[in-house]
Amino acid sequence: MPRIDNDIKLDFKDVLVRPKRSTIRSRADVDLTRSFIFRNSGLTYTGIPVMAANMDTVGTFEMAKAFAKHQMFTTIHKHYSPAAWKEFVDNNPETLEHVAVSAGIAEGDMQKLSDILELAPQIKFICLDVANGYSEHFVQFVRDVRKKFPKKTIMAGNVVTGEMVEELILSGADIIKVGIGPGSVCTTRKKTGVGYPQLSAVMECADAAHGLGGHIISDGGCTCPGDVAKAFGAGADYVMLGGMLAGHNESGGEMIEKNGKKIKLFYGMSSATAMKKHSGGVAEYRASEGKTVEIEYRGEVEATIQDILGGIRSTCTYVGASKLKELSRRTTFIRCTQQLNEVFTAFTTQH
Ligand code: 5GP
């Protein structure tokens, strides 16, 4: 008989962060940098742990340059050629602390990963990203990559439950990507019925990872800076963003004009758009298709970065956390039935 887990599982929209007495004078006094030591690579990292997703239109070299100025991280998408990587690496040495090379388990991915890391041995991070982090095949792939690259920090996912976080960490991954179905252009939940509410997934997976000395990324589902703060509050070490970074100059893809408005396309990595672009190369990227949306052009990503970092700093001041590191310890979530007052939503164009 099928089982039902009756525990309530929550999404970002189901909670708010309770304010607490605080001695912090201004949000300028909040330090958002974090330092980590990784369990399996033994390497360290210092930076602001907000990440651009390894999607065509987000994880670009241009995004990496804009992000690295703030010590923020970019998982570069897997469709750049080794030659393009070579040029990037030679011309942007200051960004290399803050980028990862991505790979899936498609044929040729391991070879391409090796080629890129040979050209750019300074790169410390590998992001292994597949449709279904639960497959035994993927676990073996993580073991193989660990064996081949003992000194690189490996991110792996996606999963949403503690036992699989543990398995991947014990197989050699340092940082686990958490999230199945919450993404803005993801249709997994619709197509398959599979998923896990993201806030609860993050809380449970962070607990499992931290117990072993591992780390996690909350990947997908953030719609506004408040959601990013909630993900950190729930225990995420890094928060990965796709949709919130789409539509900017630094986002890949062409600009089109429609009814006098400038538009950029944003699409899931297993959407028809992505598959057409990479001609069959990414058909297995996600368990089900993603969708394509038109985003109103938003200019430089710098303003969006300021908005996100300003929001998180402010959350920290509301709960009395002088460092991002203290945020989860100082977070109490309140369950709510309404997060935002939407009365004027129809009249506004900017969030
Ligand atoms: P967002 O920040 O836009 O809510 O979520 C970004 C995340 O959505 C990505 O990091 C990735 O994990 C996930 N994603 C990207 N493309 C697809 C897709 O085509 N299908 C599915 N199921 N997930 C996707």
Side-chain angles (χ1 to χ4, degrees), residues 71-103:
Q71 288 191 288
M72 289 158 73
F73 201 94
T74 305
T75 49
I76 305 287
H77 69 69
K78 71 172 197 177
H79 301 293
Y80 284 111
S81 66
W85 265 102
K86 173 90 179 107
E87 200 193 323
F88 174 72
V89 166
D90 288 348
N91 295 318
N92 301 281
E94 71 291 351
T95 63
L96 301 184
E97 283 285 316
H98 301 284
V99 299
V101 183
S102 304

Side-chain angles (χ1 to χ4, degrees), residues 96-159:
L96 301 184
E97 283 285 316
H98 301 284
V99 299
V101 183
S102 304
I105 48 173
E107 222 180 299
D109 279 13
M110 182 71 124
Q111 188 55 48
K112 191 170 169 190
L113 178 65
S114 307
D115 292 347
I116 294 168
L117 290 173
E118 204 162 297
L119 286 170
Q122 312 92 307
I123 293 172
K124 296 177 176 172
F125 291 86
I126 297 171
C127 176
L128 303 177
D129 185 14
V130 293
N132 176 0
Y134 285 77
S135 88
E136 194 42 51
H137 187 51
F138 181 59
V139 176
Q140 187 53 47
F141 188 71
V142 172
R143 285 195 202 111
D144 295 345
V145 175
R146 169 52 69 212
K147 207 161 155 206
K148 196 155 183 196
F149 302 103
K151 290 272 155 52
K152 301 287 181 194
T153 299
I154 299 176
M155 309 167 177
N158 280 23
V159 298

